[in-house]
Amino acid sequence: MKNTFNISKKKCIITGAYSGIGKEVANFLEKCGATVIRVDKKKIKKKYSYQLDLRNISEVKKFTKKISSKFKSIDSLVNIAGVSDEKNFENNIIVNLISNFYLTNGLINILKKSKGKTSSVINFTSLNAELGFSSNPGYVASKGGLKQLTKSMAFDYSKFNIRFNNVGPGYIKTDMTIKSFKNPVKKKKRIDRMMIKKYGEPKDLFGIIIYLISDVSSYVTAQDFYIDGGFLSKGI
């Protein structure tokens, strides 16, 4: 079983690694023996850490060149970084969608050179990629666009043995969801929509991440995995 999900020789880039889900995923993969390359707009005091503001596309392009010159190959790119900006439509689109395209596209050449059966790109979408939510059209549009970008790139780069999949978290207890978690009315409204009656935690995402990075998922691409306590599928 340990060999089945073994990622000890994998080199993984994690964006949004300073806090929240990104930080927890990065720490988990490191404990599993992976070489973790952390990326965030804030400075991280860890080996293989890079400061990058995804709003600056020219800097994203420079970053991909830097990484490509330092590492001969990368096995996985996990795009977790994102924003939910109700006041700035464009900010959502740039950070959540456009930067993901340029970051991934700029790393294709070293993703091609993975020594595993395949390399794996994991994009973090959201329930917002499937459902309409109020008061934040930029976030909903960006996540819906990212969902389809993943499928498009999965098609284009399958010939290089690069897999692309989406992970859509439900209500995971982080800084981004803490306001609704602490608001009794909003919390109840969200939990009532779930089959599993509680907010998730970052560790609830570890299983799907290690599955998609490991070679055991080498035949899995262009799929959507919602880790949401049954929120998306619950009926009346």
Side-chain angles (χ1 to χ4, degrees):
M1 182 63 76
K2 288 182 179 180
N3 290 334
T4 300
F5 294 96
N6 183 12
I7 62 166
S8 62
K9 295 182 180 180
K10 302 286 189 182
K11 293 191 288 291
C12 307
I13 297 175
I14 312 294
T15 71
Y18 179 83
S19 61
I21 293 171
K23 179 181 178 179
E24 296 297 328
V25 168
N27 290 343
F28 169 70
L29 296 180
E30 193 169 64
K31 288 178 182 177
C32 292
T35 298
V36 179
I37 301 153
R38 292 170 168 85
V39 181
D40 199 278
K41 66 180 180 180
K42 295 184 179 180
K43 188 174 182 179
I44 303 172
K45 295 180 180 179
K46 287 273 192 177
K47 187 179 181 181
Y48 301 134
S49 295
Y50 296 87
Q51 197 166 1
L52 176 65
D53 188 343
L54 294 173
R55 293 172 298 182
N56 190 328
I57 300 302
S58 64
E59 289 301 313
V60 171
K61 293 178 180 179
K62 289 177 184 177
F63 169 77
T64 62
K65 291 179 180 178
K66 183 189 294 185
I67 292 294
S68 298
S69 64
K70 185 172 181 61
F71 296 93
K72 293 181 180 179
S73 66
I74 291 294
D75 301 293
S76 185
L77 168 63
V78 187
N79 289 311
I80 299 178
V83 296
S84 178
D85 191 338
E86 295 181 8
K87 298 180 180 179
N88 189 327
F89 184 94
E90 289 84 359
N91 193 33
N92 293 284
I93 302 297
I94 292 169
V95 175
N96 299 343
L97 179 58
I98 295 174
S99 70
N100 270 14
F101 169 76
Y102 284 105
L103 180 63
T104 306
N105 197 54
L107 296 173
I108 288 296
N109 284 333
I110 53 174
L111 283 161
K112 288 180 188 178
K113 298 174 182 177
S114 170
K115 294 178 182 179
K117 291 181 181 179
T118 61
S119 56
S120 174
V121 177
I122 303 169
N123 288 327
F124 265 56
T125 56
S126 166
L127 294 173
N128 291 260
E130 300 288 345
L131 302 172
F133 283 80
S134 66
S135 304
N136 201 347
Y139 187 74
V140 175
S142 68
K143 292 300 184 177
L146 181 59
K147 172 190 170 182
Q148 293 305 107
L149 176 65
T150 299
K151 297 178 189 300
S152 177
M153 297 187 91
F155 195 172
D156 290 340
Y157 295 115
S158 58
K159 58 189 173 185
F160 299 120
N161 291 321
I162 306 174
R163 299 179 294 110
F164 289 76
N165 290 286
N166 291 317
V167 169
Y171 282 91
I172 307 295
K173 190 179 176 183
T174 64
D175 290 343
M176 189 176 284
T177 61
I178 197 66
K179 286 184 179 180
S180 66
F181 182 81
K182 289 184 175 181
N183 183 312
V185 176
K186 289 184 177 181
K187 183 179 180 181
K188 183 180 185 302
K189 188 175 181 179
R190 284 152 179 76
I191 288 178
D192 283 346
R193 279 291 307 269
M194 302 173 194
M195 296 180 189
I196 299 174
K197 300 295 186 181
K198 64 176 183 176
Y199 275 51
E201 298 179 25
K203 66 181 181 181
D204 294 318
L205 298 161
F206 293 170
I208 191 62
I209 297 297
I210 199 168
Y211 169 69
L212 291 174
I213 290 175
S214 68
D215 289 337
V216 75
S217 62
S218 60
Y219 196 54
V220 178
T221 196
Q223 300 303 308
D224 303 301
F225 296 90
Y226 289 98
I227 316 301
D228 64 353
F231 188 106
L232 190 63
S233 297
K234 187 182 177 193
I236 295 173

